[in-house]
Amino acid sequence: MLPTIEIGPLVIPSAGLVYILGIWLALTAAEKAAARLELNVAATYGVAVTTLATGFIAARLAFVALHWNAYQQNLLGIVWPLTSGYSLPAGLLFGIAGGFFYGRAKQLPAARTLDALAPSLITLLMTVSLADFLAGPGYGLRADLPWSIDLFGVRRHPVQLYELLGGFLALAGWWLARRSPQPFPGRLFLVSTTIYGSTRLVTDAFRANAWLSTDGYHLLQIISLLAVLLSLLLLAYLSPPSVAEQ
């Protein structure tokens, strides 16, 4: 849709600009949420930074290791350019591990820290959707609807905008759950996960380039379904009994 932004002689990749802005917003969200939940703001912010930095470095190094033949004659290519070439599974695994051990070192309560990090995580996911929308790597199925967009000469579902809407709903759910009485530790994270996972379960059906298994199943839908079911089970199990039940 808008792969580059031209400012005079400068040509800036829109996706890169969105990622920079999105990371700043995500870190700001973690900081603000920690303050609202009366957590150690500096330590919670540190968890977010450590998770992002560790995940970024691990994703890059894992990709380089997997494609070493392409880099051994160009070692500078390992660190530049950084606009592409990452292993998502490695980034997620090492990023979560880095944030977990940092949080343990700072003795942060796990469930409440997840509550504070939930808006940051959702913001990052929304950043990916917006970057995909502008740069065009992700696109929806053909659709002749009033809100369809023209992409590659074809009218398609604006699937990334659907994902952004799901992110806003999850953030609204986090905000409303925070204001409800007796929110047990972890509830805000579980509510956000349930809402966002439910929306991605629906929106991924409209993706033309969805991740598919060898049997043709949408992998992201399977992951979303498992996350939603687990979150609902934990919400039911951890919720305090109502006055009537007591």
Side-chain angles (χ1 to χ4, degrees):
M1 296 296 293
L2 185 63
T4 58
I5 299 174
E6 297 184 11
I7 304 177
L10 295 177
V11 180
I12 303 172
S14 59
L17 189 61
V18 168
Y19 279 123
I20 292 173
L21 178 60
I23 290 172
W24 175 75
L25 288 174
L27 293 176
T28 301
E31 187 177 30
K32 298 297 184 182
R36 291 185 181 278
L37 298 179
E38 299 180 348
L39 287 172
N40 185 323
V41 175
T44 305
Y45 186 85
V47 171
V49 172
T50 301
T51 301
L52 284 171
T54 306
F56 175 80
I57 295 172
R60 180 62 173 180
L61 292 180
F63 183 88
V64 170
L66 291 172
H67 303 84
W68 177 243
N69 290 336
Y71 289 95
Q72 60 182 346
Q73 300 300 328
N74 178 27
L75 297 181
L76 182 61
I78 297 175
V79 296
W80 191 263
L82 297 175
T83 53
S84 63
Y86 297 92
S87 171
L88 180 60
L92 290 174
L93 177 62
F94 284 93
I96 292 172
F100 172 78
F101 286 112
Y102 183 94
R104 287 293 300 272
K106 294 296 183 179
Q107 298 182 334
L108 288 171
R112 294 184 64 211
T113 302
L114 285 176
D115 285 338
L117 293 177
S120 179
L121 175 59
I122 294 169
T123 301
L124 282 176
L125 293 171
M126 294 172 68
T127 298
V128 174
S129 296
L130 180 57
D132 280 354
F133 178 72
L134 294 177
Y139 50 92
L141 296 171
R142 293 170 179 260
D144 188 14
L145 299 168
W147 57 86
S148 296
I149 59 174
D150 288 315
L151 191 61
F152 309 128
V154 178
R155 298 275 290 170
R156 297 180 180 274
H157 280 285
V159 66
Q160 300 94 338
L161 299 185
Y162 299 164
E163 294 168 0
L164 285 174
L165 177 59
F168 282 118
L169 291 175
L171 290 175
W174 185 93
W175 181 266
L176 293 174
R178 186 186 68 86
R179 300 172 64 87
S180 65
Q182 296 181 329
F184 60 85
R187 182 170 183 263
L188 304 183
F189 177 81
L190 294 173
V191 168
S192 303
T193 301
T194 299
I195 296 174
Y196 188 79
S198 298
T199 61
R200 290 304 295 260
L201 183 62
V202 175
T203 59
D204 197 63
F206 299 105
R207 266 193 176 271
N209 63 337
W211 296 347
L212 301 177
S213 68
T214 55
D215 298 326
Y217 293 103
H218 286 226
L219 294 177
L220 189 57
Q221 284 187 315
I222 295 174
I223 295 172
S224 298
L225 178 60
L226 293 175
V228 169
L229 291 177
L230 180 59
S231 296
L232 289 174
L233 288 173
L234 289 173
L235 282 170
Y237 178 76
L238 296 174
S239 295
S242 63
V243 176
E245 293 173 340
Q246 293 175 348

